[in-house]
Amino acid sequence: MGIEGNIGHLFNRIAGTYDRLNHLLSFNADRRWRRRAVRKLTPCDKALDVAVGTADLAIEMVRQRKAHHVTGIDLSEEMLRIGREKVGKRQLDDRIRLESGNVLDLSCPDGHFDAVTCAYGVRNFSDLDRGLREMHRALRPGGQLLILEFSYPDNKIIRFFYDFYFTKIMPAIGRKVSQDPTAYTYLNLSVKNFVWGEGFVQHLQDAGFHNITFQTMTFGITTLYLAQK
Ligand SMILES: C[S@@+](CC[C@H](N)C(=O)[O-])C[C@H]1O[C@@H](n2cnc3c(N)ncnc32)[C@H](O)[C@@H]1O
């Protein structure tokens, strides 16, 4: 199994408890982060949400009328299955289409989308720069890019407590609820080892984006990046 297969498999394993754990481990802040991020979008016709998972960002985009139609792609069939259930329950099937796909090799023509988004997905790309280049390719000139990703608090005291929660408490709760022995240790390590802030901006520039801004939320636990093609 290649790296993509491993990642898809990991998310297939934890898909059933993914939403519950997100809300539990973040004390529901993840809902607020997605809502705040989506508010920054200018309403558009066609959006692509890569690493769509269980479709929370896609649903929020339609709910806030920021995109008329959202295509969501993901490697994990189980995450997509749960996402489709949520979309169906909200009767949004005609507005949100969820497909199996790999962001490193998108099937859409160049410049097809008005907005490309990704929440908590980029740190899982096996090749970050290739994924960002594909997202850039999928976007029309002048189109909007929105990325939400975990980051680390700047304040040393907050960082100390966050680190403890993140490396000790979160993996333990994740293990217990998801019944997966390793997934939440991997997920937390993937945050610690990932670039954020100016470091991430450099990757966006290298992929060809401009007008790049970023804004931290909740002491810097999450960062919202906005850019244009
Ligand atoms: C932490 S989840 C985020 C899901 C969702 N966007 C959210 O806000 O909750 C990360 C997702 O990225 C997907 N993923 C990782 N690498 C991918 C790739 N190369 N192409 C498509 N999806 C990918 C995983 O399958 C997983 O569903």
Side-chain angles (χ1 to χ4, degrees), residues 9-20 54 76-82 178 184:
H9 187 59
L10 180 139
F11 281 98
N12 280 341
R13 293 198 320 258
I14 61 169
T17 50
Y18 177 81
D19 283 341
R20 188 149 55 96
T54 57
S76 162
E77 280 304 332
E78 268 305 293
M79 295 286 273
L80 289 169
R81 188 185 61 73
I82 290 167
S178 71
Y184 278 82

Side-chain angles (χ1 to χ4, degrees), residues 20 28 34 37 89 123 134 139 142 144 167-168 184 187 190 208 226:
R20 188 149 55 96
N28 264 330
R34 288 192 193 82
K89 262 192 205 141
R123 73 174 192 284
E134 272 294 87
L139 200 54
Q144 320 166 72
T167 54
K168 302 273 186 273
Y184 278 82
L187 288 174
S190 71
L226 295 166

